[in-house]
Amino acid sequence: MRFSSLLMLSWLVGLLAVGLPPRSLAQANGIVAPHAGESVAGQVQVVAVAQGPDFAKWQLDLLPAGDAERATFLALGEAPVPTAGLLASFDSAAYPDGPYALRLRVVRPDGNYDEHHTPITVANGRPRPVANGEAYGAGVFSRTAAKLGLPARDTAGRPILYLTFDDGPGRYLTPQIVEVLARYDAQATFFVVGRHVQRAPAALRAVVEAGHCVANHTHTHRSLRGLAPEDFAAEVRATEEAVRAALGDREMFADCGLLLRPPGGRFDAATVAVAADLGYRVVLWDIDPKDWRRPGAEAIADFVLRRAFPGAVVVLHDGGGGSRQTVAAVETILRELSSQGYVFRALTHR
């Protein structure tokens, strides 16, 4: 019996030595496909495992040349993926040919995470053309702005940064941000939560009177991913009603384009389809300093300044964790980037 057991153990060790099919014995976290070193073209499906007893969420990013400083957000989910499953599908033709890395973060409730990298090469046979016929700088471009047909530079050739603010309006924070923006002749987009509009209608009116755009961030800030279409529509329409009650002008949304930002950036193909049925376009971001964690005004500003590029969309908060740190950081961002020739515009696909 002991001899048979030894033979069986020897056989298993031999199988491991020659290589078993990926993850056949255990579903360890990480990216299953594409494989490390693989060249990709066209639509790319990212298959991975993301789980654990202390799982909170996963996030998938694409890093040009493996550079974390220039990471582009691809997808995020709050449900574990215990066996190899599709996390996201993205169009590699939207990126210049060259080396990249897929980065999967499996986040724990305390905010710490494990990180998994898979190097790939985008090889569509041509550099990606950009909307305004010029490079966005250092091979970096904004998928968010490009999808909306927005330029990276204005007609005078000045680089544009698109500032967006989520989770407001707030009675105190929103007017302070509006005041700072005014000092730099900066326009921004405010993705508002309907129930917060109901609590602070005057703050929303200050946003509109200053010429900024108002966009939809749902009524209760619940995740839209996997939500029934009727519940999805209720979230969106309730926010419209709150804005109309505060402004007396439903066309405020249409004036700036019907834009919807899913809470937490959580979305799937159904989210995009249902939003389109309601007349909305889903909008994410390129740069997220996570100001809601309140790491300090200097840290927030430094994060944005080191990653800024023409056409970038930045997400900040005038609610949902935003604070005086955000206000101070916005002042620094506007001052420093203005000195570099940047201008600041609202998102709109008019």
Side-chain angles (χ1 to χ4, degrees):
M1 186 69 176
R2 180 180 299 174
F3 180 70
S4 298
S5 298
L6 288 173
L7 280 177
M8 180 63 73
L9 178 60
S10 176
W11 178 72
L12 286 172
V13 170
L15 279 179
L16 290 172
V18 299
L20 286 168
R23 312 188 189 284
S24 61
L25 292 182
Q27 292 289 300
N29 285 333
I31 296 169
V32 176
H35 302 300
E38 183 176 343
S39 291
V40 300
Q43 204 71 19
V44 179
Q45 293 188 326
V46 181
V47 176
V49 177
Q51 63 167 344
D54 53 356
F55 174 90
K57 62 182 178 180
W58 58 261
Q59 180 170 326
L60 183 68
D61 304 295
L62 185 66
L63 284 53
D67 183 359
E69 298 292 321
R70 296 188 285 148
T72 296
F73 171 84
L74 292 179
L76 180 146
E78 292 185 321
V81 185
T83 60
L86 180 65
L87 296 193
S89 179
F90 70 96
D91 184 7
S92 68
Y95 300 89
D97 285 357
Y100 292 81
L102 289 164
R103 180 180 69 189
L104 172 65
R105 284 179 172 172
V106 182
V107 186
R108 295 184 285 276
D110 61 5
N112 291 314
Y113 53 82
D114 296 319
E115 198 167 273
H116 309 272
H117 289 233
T118 297
I120 60 172
T121 299
V122 171
N124 287 290
R126 58 181 175 80
R128 179 192 182 275
V130 294
N132 61 356
E134 58 180 310
Y136 283 105
V140 184
F141 59 91
S142 169
R143 295 179 70 231
T144 301
K147 283 183 177 180
L148 294 176
L150 300 176
R153 297 178 182 272
D154 67 7
T155 55
R158 296 175 298 181
I160 300 172
L161 193 77
Y162 297 98
L163 292 174
T164 67
F165 296 90
D166 283 11
D167 296 353
R171 289 189 181 91
Y172 305 107
L173 204 57
T174 302
Q176 292 176 41
I177 290 173
V178 168
E179 182 182 345
V180 173
L181 292 168
R183 291 204 293 272
Y184 291 88
D185 191 27
Q187 279 75 53
T189 304
F190 289 76
F191 286 88
V192 300
V193 172
R195 63 184 179 183
H196 296 167
V197 170
Q198 293 171 333
R199 295 168 183 165
L204 182 69
R205 289 193 288 271
V207 167
V208 173
E209 289 165 3
H212 303 294
C213 277
V214 175
N216 204 315
H217 198 40
T218 75
H219 188 69
T220 65
H221 204 263
R222 67 189 295 192
S223 175
L224 294 175
R225 184 171 182 171
L227 201 61
E230 59 272 22
D231 294 330
F232 188 122
E235 284 284 335
V236 171
R237 297 307 187 204
T239 304
E240 293 176 358
E241 291 294 330
V243 170
R244 179 165 59 244
L247 302 179
D249 184 5
R250 164 66 184 86
E251 293 304 311
M252 191 58 230
F253 276 118
D255 286 347
C256 290
L258 290 173
L259 304 178
L260 173 67
R261 175 166 284 163
R266 297 180 290 274
F267 75 104
D268 52 22
T271 306
V272 177
V274 176
D277 288 342
L278 297 172
Y280 280 84
R281 300 183 73 177
V282 172
V283 180
L284 297 179
W285 56 82
D286 302 301
I287 300 173
D288 178 9
K290 294 181 173 56
D291 58 324
W292 50 269
R293 288 182 175 173
R294 301 184 181 181
E298 184 178 350
I300 297 167
D302 184 62
F303 188 99
V304 175
L305 293 173
R306 287 190 290 111
R307 292 163 175 80
F309 60 89
V313 177
V314 181
V315 59
L316 293 159
H317 294 80
D318 61 326
S323 67
R324 280 292 303 168
Q325 293 182 8
T326 299
V327 178
V330 169
E331 175 93 46
T332 301
I333 292 165
L334 293 172
R335 182 181 66 248
E336 295 299 322
L337 291 183
S338 291
S339 70
Q340 298 176 31
Y342 274 84
V343 293
F344 309 91
R345 298 289 179 260
L347 296 173
T348 173
H349 61 270
R350 285 180 294 178

